[in-house]
Amino acid sequence: MITLLSGVHEGCGVGTLFTDEAGLPKLHMHASFGRKDNTITGCVRMGVAVWQIGEVVILELAGGSAKRVQNKGTGFEFLEC
């Protein structure tokens, strides 16, 4: 399911950034966007275009060994330690 937002929305999200099996960075993020009385929440997959200001805070967890590994049964990349 893909939902495209039109117009200006406020947003807040949280996500993880880990490498995959090939060592490439993979973002997994869930966010909520709203304007007036309407909100939409879910997994951000296609990217977000920012109008005016986009603020990001990154907290690094150093020394970990977790990475995204493709699960053969589902085809999804799950986070494994």
Side-chain angles (χ1 to χ4, degrees):
M1 180 174 70
I2 295 174
T3 301
L4 299 176
L5 303 177
S6 62
V8 178
H9 288 72
E10 303 294 330
C12 184
V14 71
T16 60
L17 187 61
F18 287 95
T19 57
D20 63 11
E21 295 172 280
L24 299 172
K26 297 290 283 192
L27 173 67
H28 184 92
M29 184 172 91
H30 288 254
S32 186
F33 298 92
R35 190 66 173 173
K36 295 184 180 179
D37 293 334
N38 298 311
T39 61
I40 186 81
T41 303
C43 183
V44 177
R45 295 174 189 245
M46 294 178 62
V48 177
V50 175
W51 176 79
Q52 295 286 335
I53 298 172
E55 297 177 277
V56 176
V57 175
I58 298 175
L59 301 174
E60 181 180 6
L61 305 175
S65 62
K67 63 180 175 180
R68 297 227 170 258
V69 177
Q70 187 173 29
N71 178 281
K72 292 182 173 128
T74 64
F76 293 118
E77 290 179 323
F78 292 127
L79 189 58
E80 293 186 2
C81 295

